[in-house]
Amino acid sequence: MRRTLALTTAAAVLVGLGATAYATTPAAEAARDARRPLAGLRILISNDDSMRAAKASNSDGLGLYELRRAMCAAGADVVVMAPWQVQSGKGTAVTNGGTLTVQRRTALPTGYEGDCAGAPSGGAVFGVCLGEGGCAPDSPSATPADTVKLALRGGLAAKAGWKGAPDLVLTGINSGPNVAASVNDSGTVGAAVAAIDQEVPAIAFSSSGDETQMRFPRENYRAHAEFGARFVAGLKERGLLTSAFALKVDYPDVSAGQSAKAPVWTRVGDGAVAYHAYEQRGSGDTFDIALGLCEGAESTGECAEHRPDADSTWLLGKGHVTVAPITWDRTYGTPVDARRELKAVQRYVEREAPRP
């Protein structure tokens, strides 16, 4: 009451002097808070697509900048620490020796330069490469899990001045969905698992490409990022940001003007959407690595999907946003920990989460 009264009095004085005054009122503060629901939240962002955002296909990190943009717009303080090169398919791999260089990117992709200008950390973007003495264009890269582990174990303190862990780790937005069997290979998911392994809440975001799945339109990333900011705000408001498990959020293709459908609580599918194929060159010792795609609802073998609540079915077949809980624990048959939190997040997704 005292602060509002003082500001109101000051405003009256300014008006009397012929100046334009803007009083802070409860209504104005509520409106400001509604525009900045993530104010006070410190977020680390990483991915497995790198921080380059240079390819015409948008497959090398553009989604990261859309996610950074949306989180800063919602009031979060954001720092990016991502692989220097594309690291798709690295899963939870880590580098076991040598040195890492954390190099700040000063010239950001066109259109994203001022997105986090008002954030305490300025939305700093760092790329992480292997070796010392600086990162060159062809420097080998740290893995996605490397970047998160490094950030949480001293990198953020040294480079951004953060004391203690961030409130949340976000990974992505990946170029292409991470569903079904591909989840085990995903560096986007692997980086999120690295965060909850350090008891920091984490969410992995992945977006579908266009109908070819070879191009990844900005429209998909932007729609997902803006949904993601509202999704995170809802979790924060309800006290549901937990490190007991990570969340995997996949977004359908909306680049042709179609709308994404409501979020659905899913399981990771037991089939495959894509798989690694190995083609021998003649009769020699060399095999080419190729990407195989499962096509059609009647797929068989490793492509067959048996779960009615599979992420791939609801995302690719029905056009919904899909949410699945992911854990680091690979012990088969382990009782579910944090059951109450899991049910609360499921209820949020099914009944209260924002609609695209």
Side-chain angles (χ1 to χ4, degrees):
M1 177 65 68
R2 184 178 299 171
R3 184 166 64 90
T4 302
L5 179 62
L7 287 170
T8 304
T9 304
V13 172
L14 288 172
V15 170
L17 295 174
T20 302
Y22 299 93
T24 300
T25 65
E29 289 183 352
R32 180 199 63 198
D33 292 343
R35 292 192 302 270
R36 295 173 55 81
L38 300 184
L41 202 69
R42 296 189 308 175
I43 296 178
L44 167 68
I45 298 180
S46 188
N47 68 359
D48 72 358
D49 286 335
S50 83
M51 29 58 75
R52 292 178 178 267
K55 293 183 178 179
S57 64
N58 297 332
S59 63
D60 63 338
L62 186 70
L64 179 151
Y65 290 96
E66 284 293 333
L67 192 60
R68 172 181 172 271
R69 169 185 176 272
M71 295 301 154
C72 283
D77 187 17
V78 174
V79 172
V80 171
M81 204 165 284
W84 185 252
Q85 309 279 8
V86 173
Q87 294 287 288
S88 293
K90 294 293 185 179
T92 56
V94 294
T95 304
N96 287 329
T99 58
L100 297 172
T101 293
V102 181
Q103 184 163 303
R104 183 163 185 171
R105 180 170 184 175
T106 55
L108 299 181
T110 301
Y112 297 97
E113 300 91 341
D115 288 342
C116 298
S121 301
V125 175
F126 298 94
V128 186
C129 68
L130 303 184
E132 55 186 311
C135 301
D138 59 350
S139 293
S141 182
T143 71
D146 282 338
T147 65
V148 171
K149 290 175 182 287
L150 169 66
L152 299 183
R153 295 174 178 171
L156 284 171
K159 305 301 287 188
W162 284 8
K163 296 180 179 179
D167 301 297
L168 179 64
V169 172
L170 302 179
T171 62
I173 299 171
N174 189 65
S175 56
N178 275 307
V179 293
S182 64
V183 170
N184 287 329
D185 300 330
S186 168
T188 304
V189 174
V193 169
I196 61 169
D197 195 36
Q198 297 298 303
E199 300 184 343
V200 179
I203 305 174
F205 293 102
S206 301
S207 284
S208 295
D210 65 10
E211 60 183 6
T212 70
Q213 288 297 336
M214 299 297 292
R215 295 184 297 274
F216 304 93
R218 188 187 305 267
E219 295 92 333
N220 288 353
Y221 290 136
R222 181 153 297 186
H224 195 176
E226 292 178 352
F227 167 82
R230 292 183 289 125
F231 183 81
V232 171
L235 291 170
K236 174 177 178 285
E237 180 183 8
R238 292 162 176 79
L240 295 176
L241 292 174
T242 175
S243 62
F245 49 87
L247 293 176
K248 181 181 73 71
V249 182
D250 288 82
Y251 208 85
D253 176 26
V254 295
S255 60
Q258 66 273 41
S259 297
K261 296 179 182 177
V264 176
W265 185 255
T266 65
R267 284 198 293 172
V268 174
D270 66 355
V273 174
Y275 59 91
H276 290 93
Y278 305 92
E279 301 173 355
Q280 186 178 16
R281 291 189 190 178
S283 58
D285 298 332
T286 301
F287 288 75
D288 291 316
I289 302 171
L291 183 66
L293 297 176
C294 299
E295 298 181 356
E298 304 301 322
S299 295
T300 59
E302 68 180 296
C303 293
E305 179 55 65
H306 304 96
R307 295 177 173 176
D309 56 351
D311 48 7
S312 54
T313 300
W314 284 93
L315 177 78
L316 301 174
K318 301 181 179 182
H320 285 264
V321 179
T322 61
V323 183
I326 302 292
T327 178
W328 57 267
D329 191 346
R330 300 189 182 191
T331 308
Y332 183 73
T334 300
V336 175
D337 294 326
R339 187 179 298 274
R340 182 176 297 180
E341 291 174 278
L342 184 66
K343 288 294 184 183
V345 174
Q346 180 178 355
R347 184 169 56 250
Y348 166 67
V349 171
E350 293 178 337
R351 303 178 187 178
E352 302 168 344
R355 283 353 186 203

